[in-house]
Amino acid sequence: MENSRNFVLVLTLSLAVLLGWQWAMDYFYPQPEEVPVTAEKVDTPAEHAAVAHSRTGGLQDPSAIALEAADLETALASPDRVAIDSPKVGGSINLQGAFLDDVVLKDYAATTENDEPVRIFSPRGTPAQQVSQFGFLVNGEKVSDDAIWQSSGGVLTQDNPVTLTHVAGEGVTLEQTWSIDENYMLTIDQVVSNTSGVPVVVQPYGLVSRTSDTASADFFIAHSGPIGSFDQSVDYDYDYDDVEDEKTVALAGKTDWVGFTDIYWLAAMVPQVGSAPDSTFRSLGNNIFRADMIYDPITIPNGRKVTTISRLYAGAKDSEILDAYQDAGIPQFGLAIDWGWFRWFEKPFLWLLKNIFELVGNFGVAIIILTIIVRGLMFPIAQKQFASMASMKAIQPKMKALQEKYKDDRVKQQQEMQKLFKEEKVNPLAGCLPLILQIPIFFALYKVLYLAIEMRHQHFLWIDDLSAPDPATILNLFGLLPFTPPSFLAIGILAVLLGVTMWLTFRLNPQTDPVQAQVFSIMPWVLMFIMAPFAAGLLLYWVTSNILTLAQQKYLYSKHPQLRAAAEKEKAEKAAAAKAGK
């Protein structure tokens, strides 16, 4: 019974950590005040209908997906484009307005059904639009988005930067030199040359604009939406609804980087080293949002030129790559992945998981092995917890005698209890402390499996994608019938195994309290429904953990038979007392 109570304690404390995080962050780190920003007009598409966000994002509506394909075919057929062909990134830059609006990631397939690369940037006006632009205000006037820039020619590759040029008139020439590294980072050298005969004032800027229709779900353990680091502190506070309500959100502090994130993808601008541009998030209506990064105005004398160097990350949230950029000088860039409080546990788990995967070649098997390793490391703690419970059971008759003897003197009763614990060398807290230690480990594993892009599209037995819900559900006869049931009824094989193994775990612990027994008989099936829509990899971890718990409990009960005997005795006494009461 005590073990069951401790299990409930673990669940309760875990839920308190999970659900209390957002409240605590809102309370201790209130949102910054809004400050004025430079106004700018941006085209908006037709009004969008409300959309449902999946865990991994992307268009969900079939008509929108079809329209996106048709629009892309038209937009990308334009000759006014500079192709991009780097090791990890493909796509093109639109010479009309110098927009980066066509980005695909070569290492990640859009679906499990074919090898077509996932698309994260689409041109303005398309259903999945996301674009970036690095431009100029010249004497307070924005260079037109319709301006056609001239390219130096060739394809933008890792070894071949491309320069775009636009003559703004009156002796002012604008240049952008785009280069890209071996990963997902583009560097944009913005150059303004002044031969006008008089000083000009220019203000370089960068923006990332996107629709929230393709956003991944903003879950309490994984932020999706506006993101940035300011004064070396990453801001996860704002979601799209917040920005839509406030229209403009100005971020306080020096901008380290700013943009938008999904659970697996990131589009973030990094300002010039040593600069302090203003940054804002803005709602443009119709589910279109924009992150702005605008530098201070610069006065350029006649015959001089000024260069501003910005960077843009447009790619996958691979923790090793993000950490490498952080090590290279971009503050807190690794925290573009919302690791949360327990990142000191999570990153070693991720490292271990990836290395196991490299060894065994299957991510599902790697999850099982990782779970076994973690449970194995925790076994001495569990054993100590059971030993403590056994000791407490052994002295329970003496404790009851003291409680009866000093029932009218609580102080004396506590003194005698402490004396008894000291004489018997029993620590009442020893049974709880191991459980408290297990909470961050449980939560860390949970977040690693939720956030790891490495789990995306990984195959295991009948599952094509461990990052997606189990496709073999009861209602489609575990995949035999060709339809997908609603998510709340999509009880898959892993969810059923989760309920069964948890029920068996509770059954292994004799329930002496009728109310507790009733709760434990219902809880596994409630959790089965709750967890069914979660990623299959998470359920695989939990099912494996439950099976190991069963084996562990069997073994430890065999080592401490007095635990079960005491519980059975207590249960029999209560049943007899209840019968006598009738």
Side-chain angles (χ1 to χ4, degrees):
M1 181 180 74
E2 193 163 343
N3 188 44
S4 301
R5 286 176 176 166
N6 288 335
F7 188 83
V8 173
L9 176 64
V10 170
L11 285 178
T12 304
L13 292 175
S14 298
L15 288 173
V17 170
L18 295 177
L19 300 177
W21 163 260
Q22 190 61 50
W23 175 87
M25 294 307 294
D26 291 342
Y27 181 82
F28 291 108
Y29 302 99
Q31 298 174 359
E33 294 182 358
E34 185 177 340
V35 299
V37 295
T38 304
E40 180 186 0
K41 180 182 182 303
V42 169
D43 296 334
T44 59
E47 187 167 350
H48 290 206
V51 294
H53 299 288
S54 68
R55 196 178 80 85
T56 54
L59 294 171
Q60 309 298 312
D61 182 65
S63 61
I65 294 172
L67 180 59
E68 169 76 5
D71 286 352
L72 280 176
E73 186 175 0
T74 302
L76 302 185
S78 167
D80 294 329
R81 287 186 170 273
V82 174
I84 303 172
D85 187 14
S86 75
K88 294 180 182 295
V89 176
S92 60
I93 300 172
N94 190 348
L95 291 176
Q96 183 176 3
F99 282 99
L100 176 66
D101 60 0
D102 173 24
V103 173
V104 296
L105 307 182
K106 297 178 179 179
D107 291 344
Y108 296 93
T111 70
T112 58
E113 297 169 358
N114 56 56
D115 294 332
E116 184 179 348
V118 67
R119 170 172 295 280
I120 64 170
F121 276 29
S122 288
R124 293 181 299 165
T126 62
Q129 62 180 297
Q130 180 167 213
V131 305
S132 182
Q133 182 190 50
F134 290 82
F136 304 88
L137 301 177
V138 179
N139 290 327
E141 295 290 331
K142 181 179 182 294
V143 176
S144 172
D145 289 342
D146 294 327
I148 303 297
W149 294 63
Q150 301 301 312
S151 169
S152 60
V155 175
L156 173 58
T157 68
Q158 187 180 349
D159 301 320
N160 183 48
V162 170
T163 297
L164 311 183
T165 304
H166 174 66
V167 178
E170 299 181 351
V172 176
T173 302
L174 310 175
E175 291 182 348
Q176 299 181 10
T177 298
W178 291 70
S179 56
I180 190 168
D181 66 8
E182 71 277 16
N183 292 311
Y184 308 106
M185 189 68 83
L186 296 109
T187 300
I188 305 95
D189 292 20
Q190 295 173 265
V191 182
V192 182
S193 301
N194 177 23
T195 57
S196 65
V198 295
V200 297
V201 178
V202 298
Q203 202 168 6
Y205 68 85
L207 66 86
V208 174
S209 176
R210 67 166 294 170
T211 174
S212 63
D213 292 351
T214 58
S216 57
D218 184 27
F219 200 39
F220 62 91
I221 65 165
H223 174 68
S224 176
I227 192 172
S229 175
F230 308 94
D231 284 341
Q232 303 198 12
S233 177
V234 179
D235 191 320
Y236 308 106
D237 290 343
Y238 292 95
D239 60 22
Y240 292 109
D241 290 339
D242 295 330
V243 178
E244 187 169 25
D245 291 342
E246 298 187 30
K247 303 304 179 187
T248 301
V249 175
L251 288 311
K254 180 179 176 294
T255 303
D256 304 313
W257 50 272
V258 63
F260 295 101
T261 184
D262 293 299
I263 184 173
Y264 290 143
W265 323 118
L266 173 70
M269 300 171 288
V270 183
Q272 177 168 278
V273 175
S275 67
D278 292 330
S279 296
T280 55
F281 295 119
R282 308 175 73 187
S283 169
L284 305 179
N286 303 323
N287 294 345
I288 306 297
F289 297 86
R290 201 175 71 197
D292 292 298
M293 180 183 75
I294 185 163
Y295 293 91
D296 291 336
I298 306 168
T299 300
I300 306 177
N302 179 47
R304 303 289 295 275
K305 69 178 182 180
V306 170
T307 301
T308 305
I309 302 175
S310 305
R311 286 179 285 176
L312 173 71
Y313 186 92
K317 290 165 66 173
D318 182 307
S319 62
E320 288 188 10
I321 293 174
L322 295 174
D323 288 343
Y325 286 123
Q326 179 172 315
D327 294 340
I330 302 178
Q332 308 297 343
F333 208 58
L335 296 184
I337 299 176
D338 183 10
W339 294 112
W341 286 0
F342 302 119
R343 63 177 179 273
W344 312 116
F345 297 111
E346 292 160 13
K347 289 201 169 183
F349 283 146
L350 179 60
W351 176 86
L352 182 58
L353 183 63
K354 291 168 66 175
N355 279 275
I356 296 172
F357 172 54
E358 288 181 5
L359 284 175
V360 301
N362 183 283
F363 211 84
V365 175
I367 290 173
I368 293 173
I369 294 175
L370 175 68
T371 311
I372 293 172
I373 291 174
V374 173
R375 293 304 301 259
L377 293 174
M378 296 298 294
F379 182 76
I381 297 175
Q383 193 174 22
K384 188 174 181 180
Q385 174 194 340
F386 263 72
S388 174
M389 291 164 57
S391 301
M392 288 293 291
K393 286 287 184 188
I395 66 170
Q396 270 197 350
K398 296 181 180 179
M399 291 171 62
K400 286 183 178 178
L402 289 175
Q403 288 169 345
E404 182 63 27
K405 184 177 181 179
Y406 299 106
K407 60 182 179 183
D408 297 326
D409 188 349
R410 294 288 183 185
V411 175
K412 183 65 175 177
Q413 185 188 97
Q414 289 299 318
Q415 290 173 344
E416 291 299 319
M417 284 285 191
Q418 294 301 322
K419 185 179 176 182
L420 175 64
F421 294 151
K422 190 174 181 181
E423 289 173 352
E424 299 291 340
K425 297 180 179 178
V426 172
N427 182 359
L429 296 178
C432 295
L433 291 178
L435 288 171
I436 294 174
L437 180 60
Q438 290 180 61
I439 291 174
I441 294 175
F442 167 80
F443 188 59
L445 268 173
Y446 176 63
K447 286 207 73 168
V448 165
L449 295 176
Y450 192 90
L451 297 172
I453 194 171
E454 290 81 1
M455 198 163 74
R456 183 177 182 270
H457 289 185
Q458 292 293 340
H459 177 82
F460 179 68
L461 297 179
W462 69 92
I463 302 167
D464 288 333
D465 184 0
L466 281 169
S467 70
D470 186 347
T473 67
I474 295 174
L475 291 185
N476 65 14
L477 294 183
F478 301 110
L480 294 177
L481 300 179
F483 81 95
T484 302
S487 60
F488 69 98
L489 291 176
I491 310 299
I493 294 175
L494 288 175
V496 172
L497 290 175
L498 173 70
V500 171
T501 53
M502 187 170 288
W503 179 78
L504 288 173
T505 302
F506 290 158
R507 290 286 297 175
L508 198 59
N509 298 298
Q511 315 300 317
T512 57
D513 186 298
V515 176
Q516 186 186 51
Q518 192 169 9
V519 170
F520 281 176
S521 66
I522 296 173
M523 186 183 295
W525 315 117
V526 173
L527 283 175
M528 182 183 73
F529 276 92
I530 292 175
M531 294 299 297
F534 281 62
L538 278 172
L539 270 64
L540 178 61
Y541 154 73
W542 203 328
V543 170
T544 306
S545 182
N546 283 350
I547 292 172
L548 293 174
T549 299
L550 282 168
Q552 176 182 289
Q553 286 180 335
K554 280 281 188 185
Y555 171 75
L556 290 174
Y557 272 128
S558 69
K559 298 285 287 183
H560 303 281
Q562 67 273 37
L563 275 176
R564 176 174 286 276
E568 295 290 358
K569 182 182 177 184
E570 188 177 353
K571 183 178 180 181
E573 290 175 350
K574 287 195 174 185
K579 188 176 181 180
K582 288 181 180 178

